[in-house]
Amino acid sequence: MTKTAENSMQTPSSALARKTSISHNTAIVSYIGLLVLLVLTSFDAEISLALVLSIKLVPLLIFIPGLLKKNFKAHIWLCFVILLYFTQYSVRAYLTQGDWEPVLMTLFSVTTFIGSMMYVRWGKQLEASLSPVQVPDS
């Protein structure tokens, strides 16, 4: 079979499973990129490195267990928290006239947000399509 014939034969649930997997992986890779960049940009602070890292990282590190378990609620709450990082770094990118650090942080936060949001959406659709339909008793 050709590649296009295989793609056209995919069931809706297998397409949703693929989308769900891709969005989860995108969210995780962007999340890790954001964490790494937050650590790398913390060394130029004039105050305690431990204090700076704890303020920057603790709000994001709370979600690691839920993200590894592919928990929808962890992804939902990560979306809320990541908006704070997006706001901070998008303003910094504007004020520094496109400096690479805040622009890259903004991109990581946007891709983490979108990946998590789409993971929850497609994951819920996948769960609904795989669960048996219950007919109410008359």
Side-chain angles (χ1 to χ4, degrees):
M1 253 188 235
T2 64
K3 192 98 168 154
T4 56
E6 288 176 6
N7 288 343
S8 65
M9 294 178 61
Q10 278 186 336
T11 63
S13 60
S14 67
L16 270 176
R18 186 171 175 269
K19 287 180 182 179
T20 303
S21 175
I22 289 171
S23 60
H24 182 261
N25 292 338
T26 301
I28 296 297
V29 167
S30 300
Y31 174 78
I32 291 170
L34 184 63
L35 290 176
V36 167
L37 204 51
L38 283 169
V39 169
L40 292 177
T41 58
S42 296
F43 292 112
D44 60 352
E46 287 108 25
I47 58 175
S48 168
L49 180 64
L51 178 65
V52 170
L53 285 175
S54 65
I55 290 172
K56 284 183 170 183
L57 296 179
V58 167
L60 290 175
L61 293 177
I62 293 170
F63 299 105
I64 289 177
L67 295 177
L68 294 177
K69 293 177 186 175
K70 297 184 176 185
N71 186 326
F72 292 136
K73 287 185 181 182
H75 279 275
I76 291 169
W77 280 102
L78 177 64
C79 285
F80 288 124
V81 172
I82 210 75
L83 287 175
L84 299 171
Y85 290 86
F86 168 75
T87 304
Q88 176 188 2
Y89 287 107
S90 61
V91 169
R92 274 186 56 196
Y94 176 75
L95 292 176
T96 60
Q97 299 175 349
D99 192 21
W100 71 271
E101 172 197 332
V103 169
L104 199 54
M105 294 284 229
T106 303
L107 289 174
F108 277 135
S109 62
V110 166
T111 54
T112 302
F113 178 84
I114 292 173
S116 288
M117 179 182 57
M118 297 313 294
Y119 171 71
V120 171
R121 179 179 180 194
W122 288 327
K124 292 284 188 176
Q125 288 176 356
L126 182 62
E127 274 187 355
S129 71
L130 295 178
S131 66
V133 177
Q134 294 183 1
V135 179
D137 293 332
S138 306

